[in-house]
């Protein structure tokens, strides 16, 4: 039962990460933003990512540790730095 839950949760996280599209910092780099414009863009992007992740966890009816884990991973993926 626990293995099944872990599998479902990991698949859900992978799907959410793919649905997020490009991470915030990668998008800022692609747009060649710097200084205040970059800071403003990242702040808005991170706020939008948090809102999206919270809505996704609510839609999936997650609670407790599963909700916390899902939202943390989802937000982290959205804010991740691109691999160099």
């Amino acid at each position: 039962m626990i293995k099944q839950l872990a599998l479902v949760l990991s698949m859900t996280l992978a799907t959410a990460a793919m649905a997020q599209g490009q991470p915030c910092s990668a998008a800022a780099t692609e747009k060649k933003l710097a200084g205040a414009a970059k800071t403003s863009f990242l702040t808005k992007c991170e706020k939008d990512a948090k809102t999206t992740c919270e809505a996704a966890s609510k839609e999936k009816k997650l609670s407790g540790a599963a909700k916390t884990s899902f939202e943390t991973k989802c937000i982290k993926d959205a804010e991740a730095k691109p691999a160099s």
Side-chain angles (χ1 to χ4, degrees):
M1 181 80 158
I2 293 175
K3 288 182 181 181
Q4 290 173 337
L5 179 60
L7 177 63
V8 170
L9 185 58
S10 67
M11 291 178 75
T12 303
L13 294 174
T15 303
M18 287 186 281
Q20 288 292 321
Q22 204 173 34
C24 295
S25 58
T29 301
E30 184 178 297
K31 292 179 181 211
K32 299 178 182 173
L33 298 175
K38 182 177 180 180
T39 302
S40 176
F41 176 83
L42 289 174
T43 301
K44 182 180 183 322
C45 184
E46 291 165 2
K47 181 180 175 188
D48 292 346
K50 182 176 181 185
T51 302
T52 302
C53 293
E54 287 173 351
S57 70
K58 189 175 272 190
E59 181 180 305
K60 295 176 188 306
K61 299 180 181 176
L62 298 174
S63 63
K67 178 181 178 184
T68 302
S69 176
F70 174 82
E71 289 179 0
T72 301
K73 174 86 168 88
C74 181
I75 293 168
K76 182 180 173 189
D77 290 343
E79 297 172 353
K81 294 182 181 178
S84 296

